[in-house]
Structure formats: structure tokens, C-alpha cells
Amino acid sequence: MLIEVGHYALALALALSLTQMVMPIWASRTGDPVLRSVTVPAALATFACIAFAFGALTYAHVTSDFSVQNVVENSHSMKPLIYKISGVWGNHEGSMMLWVLILALFGAVVALARNSVPPTLRANTLGVQAAITAVFLLFILITSNPFARLNPAPVEGRDLNPLLQDPGLAIHPPLLYLGYVGFSITFAFAIAALIEGRIDAAWARAVRPWTLAAWCFLTVGIAMGSYWAYYELGWGGWWFWDPVENASLMPWLAGTALVHSTVVMEKRDALKVWTVLLAILTFSLSLLGTFLVRSGVLTSVHTFATDPTRGTFILGILVVFIGGSLALYAWRAPTLRQGGLFAPISREGALVMNNLFLSAACATVLVGTLYPLALESLTGEKISVGAPFFNLTFVPLAVPLLLVVPFGQTLAWKRGDLAAASQRLFVGFAIALVVALAAIAVTWGGPVGAPLGIGLGAYLILGAALEIVTRAKARSVGLSLRRAAGLPRSAWGTALAHAGVGVTVIGIAAQAWSVEALATLPRGGELRAGPYVAVLEGVLPRTGPNYTETVAHLTIREGGVPVGVLEPGKRFYASRNMSVSEAGLLTIGVSQVYASVGETGTDGRVGIRLYYKPLVLLIWLGAVVMALGGGLSLTDRRFRVGAPAMKPAPRDAAGPVPPHSVPAE
């Protein structure tokens, strides 16, 4: 009965979201504030209905209700509880439920944000958000019903894809969706502003926290997905330029540009038209990623659905929202008032350059991802665009972008002094150069680009630190510390996020020194990777809750001294008749020794692949630092209050005051 009620709740949410969509339009025509106010309770009710439906599906998975087809296809009674829960979104139907749940959640939060968003803007934004929710609810109800029953019900389920039975996949999709769907709010704000024909500082102040929050979630979500692929798939790499990975990278690049452009718009009332376009494009790229994952046009471990009907439906959603929003933008953009002017050498100018490089990098990833698909659909010819293309096009754009970042922090608003900024950054640049030269000396004869990358990362970290030091500099250390403590949290957050980029760059550059070794070892055999030697002590059988496993027991030695143990293995899931590799990881500082096991021969010899990954954890730690910087910025008081509203000055008994305006408290 609960399943049927959950299905009904989805249908009711569709009706409520349609109401939420129509009321602001009706109110704008009639000028009735009562109709406009309906959007708030409608948004809250929509979220409540979808949350109930999602809870009903989760309950079915946790209790192993095998009368539900979705549970049968993605669960097993012996599966651990955490994977029963993550199995809810580890499939197409459930992941779409999570998508609309987060959509409705963001809509509900906007509905409750009464003080930070002007009423008309909030109502129109909720109306646009409701349109997105309604379309995806319709998609679920027509093509992807998660509540379909089976009669008779089987005794046991088919289990979740073994690759998805991992803690990383329990966390990665929700974080990724919070990023993807979070950008739907910025999209809704942009469309609402275009409908109203008004974009000002109040709009920028309202949209910036949502943009930053979505960017933080997407950053951590991509990092978690990268780490999962690194240790779960047994490839030993952290990024593979897989088309579905690219589908998450593109909105991140556009979202990063959007975060910076909203700063310019809020501070200087500039880049209005460009910022709105970025808001539209960022969510459009999120929708494109949804199409790539669920249409069947790609074959990847990341994809869910291969049903052409679903792909056609999602393609229709893309046409409606992307085409419709760009058409509205083309109609309204020429009527928008241009913002303030600024010199090319200024913080605004640096942020514009930042946007240009990020947009160009996003375009290269888009072309490299879609070109093979377009070529195949037009000519039938299949080609593969992989790492060589992306490394040759993306990296040359990323390097100058990173070089500009510290200058952007140092230049003044409106008109900056490039020579003075260079002087302030000289110490950081000199130290970074020393770090790069030291890396070259220590690794003489190795790759040249890696030490330069280490130096670039150090330059970014030092540039972020120097920005805080420069702003807090005073006559005494005590006064400097007090000034630093009094800086806005957004200043600290910006410095932390930029330092996080530097940490990630160092981790990426250090992978040029990774060492890989492959051998078939007998018991007692040794395999060296870098300074570490793996000794095969034996092969052990193990039994898990829903799998059997063969584990290779490896002792890791450095200079003849044991430093740890690795136990890579192969797991066999009988319910799926599928084997997967489980990597063994030994963390030493921020470096790792990584091992995966191959086939076992008839003579008892085991195939072992061993990696030494220096500083590899910095790749993901840097992403966490970036997100923490964004989160710290969100705690700034300026993000919790609305933009100053203008109201007429009061009149006194002596007569009217000359016309002017004062900020509303």
C-alpha cells in the first residue's frame, strides 16, 4: 500500500508543481499579490510530496520488498544496509527520484528565503523552478516509474551492480546532484530576471549564494567520483577524460566562471548580460550531462539508461529549456541596461580574462566530447577522442588562467596598477621559482613539466597567502593579526579556494613521477615500484555478505623494512555472475602505494600490478580545500542579507526634502 501511496504522491507533486508554475504568470498579468503568494506553499507542498515518495522507495529497498521491480533489479536481501540505501539512487529510476527531490528541496529553500530575495523575483524564480520539476516528474511518471509492481514477486533480487557497491558511490551521486540541480536555481533566477526585464545588484546578491553553494557541492562530487574511479576500477589513474566525466566537468568550468562573474556584477554592476548567459549555459550543460548519461548514446560504467525512448524524452527537455531560455535571452538581452565601466587593468579585467579562459576550456571539452557522437550520427564513422586531444587543448588554456589568478586577487577594482601588483607578488613568485628549481634538482633526468607544475601550485598557494598578508599588513604583528581576523569571511574563503587549486595542481603535476610495475609472482615473489617493494605472502579466500573473494596478501617494504600491508582481491557476486577487482591502497603521508590483482595461473602464480603514486592525495584534498573555501565564503554576513533596497527619504514639517534616496535598513 505504501508503494501505491508513494506513486500517488509523485502524481500529486506534478499537479502542485504545475500550480506553482502557473500562479506567478497569472499574478504578473493581473497584479494580484495573493496569486503570487501561492507559489510559496505550493513549493513546500511539492517538496513534501516528493520527499514522501522518495522515502517510500527507500523503505522498499531497506525492507527488500521484492514485489517492486526497482528493488528486484537493484537489491538483494544479503546486501549491507548502506548499499540497500545507496541502491535507491544506484539506478536510472531511483537516481531521477533523487534528482527531483533535490530540485524540490532547492525550491522549498528559496520559498523560505523571504528576507534575502525580493518577492516578485522569488515568485518568478519558483515558477521557473516548478516548470523544471514538472517536466522531470512527467518524465519519471511516463518513462521511469520506480514504483512498478511485479506479480508474482520473486524470492530474491538481482543485486546492485557490484561496481556501485562502494561507500564512494553512496556519497558521490547526492553531492553531484546537489551541484547539478543547484545550478537550476541560478538558471531559474536568470529566466525570472529576463521575464521581469530587470537585473541589478539585488539580483546578483540573491543569485550568488546559490551559485557558490552549487559550485561547492559539484566540486566535492566530482572529486569523490574521481577518487572512486581511481581505486574501484583498478586503472590506477585519477581522470580518464571519459565522456561522462567530461559531462560533469563542463558545468563545473562554466559554474566557476559564473561564480566570478557574479562577483563583478555585485561589486561593480557590470557584466550583467554575460552573467545571465553564463547562468543559462551552466544549467544547460548540466542537462546535457543528464542526456549523455541516460540516453544510451554513450557506453560507460557511469551511464544508467540505454532506452532510446527515455533519450528522446530527455532530448525534448533539452530543446525546450535550452532553446527556450536562449530564445528568451536573445529577445530580452538587448533591452537590458549595461553596467559600469572599468579599465582593462583592474580586478574586473582579470575576472573577465578568467571567464574567457574558463569558457574556452569548457568549449574544448564540449567539442572533444560531442564531436565523435556528431560524426557517428552523420557519417556512421566511429572515432575516439581521448587524453592526447584534451591534454593538448585544455592544458594550454589552464596554465595561463592559473598564472592570472594571483594578479586578479591583487589588482584594485575599476582601475589597477599592474606594476604594483607585480611587486606585491614578487616574493611569492621568487619562492615558487626556487621550489620549481629544487624539484628539478631532486628529480634530475625526469620529466621537466612536473617541477614547473609544482612551482605553479606553490605560486598559487603563496599568492593566496600574500593577498591576506597584504590586506592585513600593519605597523605591528599584533595589529596585523587583529586586522586579519577582522577581514570578511569571503576574503578568507577566496584565498582558501585559490590555495586549494594550488594544492590540486601540485598533486596533478606529481603524477608525472608515478611508477608502475607489472609481474606474475609466485608465493614469496617481489615486485618493485619506486622506493617500495611488494612481497606476495600468499592468496587467501574470503566470504562477504553477498560475495566471495580471493585476496592477495602483500607486504610492502621500503629499504627492507616493512611499512604496511596491501590486500587487493577479486570479488565474485553470484547473484550478478560478475567479478570485480578490489584495489589495495597503502597511504604514506599524502602519497600512496596501490596494488591490483589479476588472474591466478594453474601454477599458483598471481598477476600483480603495483603503482607508486607520489603526492596523489593532494589532488582530492585540494578539491576539498576549494569547497571549504566556498563554504567559508557562504558564511559571510553579506550572503545572509539582501541587497540594499532604495526608498524615498522622509519628509519633514518644513517641506519636501530635495529628491534623493537612502539605503533601506
Side-chain angles (χ1 to χ4, degrees), residues 314-624:
I314 296 176
L315 186 60
I317 294 175
L318 261 68
V319 171
V320 170
F321 282 105
I322 299 178
S325 60
L326 290 177
L328 178 62
Y329 175 81
W331 175 44
R332 283 290 204 178
T335 66
L336 298 177
R337 184 178 64 84
Q338 297 298 316
L341 300 177
F342 52 86
I345 304 299
S346 62
R347 183 167 297 193
E348 296 96 324
L351 291 173
V352 168
M353 187 175 294
N354 158 292
N355 272 222
L356 291 175
F357 278 118
L358 285 168
S359 300
C362 183
T364 63
V365 178
L366 180 66
V367 170
T369 304
L370 296 186
Y371 176 71
L373 303 177
L375 183 66
E376 182 179 355
S377 64
L378 294 174
T379 67
E381 181 183 353
K382 291 187 177 182
I383 65 168
S384 176
V385 176
F389 167 81
F390 292 106
N391 290 339
L392 287 173
T393 56
F394 186 85
V395 174
L397 291 169
V399 171
L401 167 64
L402 297 177
L403 289 172
V404 169
V405 167
F407 281 95
Q409 299 170 211
T410 307
L411 290 170
W413 291 102
K414 196 173 182 179
R415 185 179 298 277
D417 187 337
L418 186 59
S422 300
Q423 288 178 353
R424 287 194 290 270
L425 289 173
F426 177 77
V427 173
F429 181 80
I431 295 174
L433 183 60
V434 170
V435 169
L437 292 175
I440 292 174
V442 171
T443 62
W444 185 259
V448 178
L452 297 179
I454 299 292
L456 178 59
Y459 167 69
L460 288 167
I461 296 171
L462 292 167
L466 285 172
E467 169 65 9
I468 296 296
V469 170
T470 301
R471 295 184 63 173
K473 188 176 180 181
R475 295 179 180 178
S476 65
V477 175
L479 182 58
S480 296
L481 292 175
R482 287 194 296 273
R483 290 184 64 177
L487 290 175
R489 292 180 187 176
S490 59
W492 281 98
T494 300
L496 192 61
H498 289 165
V501 176
V503 172
T504 294
V505 168
I506 292 174
I508 293 171
Q511 298 321 293
W513 296 307
S514 293
V515 180
E516 177 185 1
L518 176 65
T520 304
L521 300 180
R523 182 169 183 172
E526 298 183 353
L527 182 62
R528 174 179 290 275
Y532 299 98
V533 175
V535 181
L536 178 62
E537 305 291 353
V539 179
L540 308 172
R542 286 182 183 170
T543 302
N546 58 335
Y547 61 84
T548 57
E549 184 177 22
T550 301
V551 176
H553 186 85
L554 300 170
T555 299
I556 306 300
R557 301 176 182 272
E558 182 182 12
V561 179
V563 294
V565 173
L566 287 179
E567 292 187 335
K570 274 192 173 296
R571 291 182 180 178
F572 177 71
Y573 292 78
S575 57
R576 285 264 179 171
N577 192 27
M578 181 176 175
S579 295
V580 297
S581 295
E582 291 292 321
L585 296 174
L586 176 63
T587 300
I588 303 169
V590 291
S591 302
Q592 284 188 332
V593 180
Y594 176 119
S596 60
V597 64
E599 299 298 326
T600 302
T602 55
D603 58 354
R605 298 171 71 95
V606 182
I608 299 293
R609 188 183 298 269
L610 188 69
Y611 298 91
Y612 169 55
K613 299 283 186 179
L615 309 182
V616 68
L617 290 181
L618 294 183
I619 296 173
W620 303 292
L621 289 175
V624 172

Side-chain angles (χ1 to χ4, degrees), residues 3 49 77 94 133 137 201 218 278 428 538 602 626:
I3 295 301
C49 288
S77 59
T133 306
L137 284 172
L218 188 57
L278 270 180
T602 55
M626 286 185 237

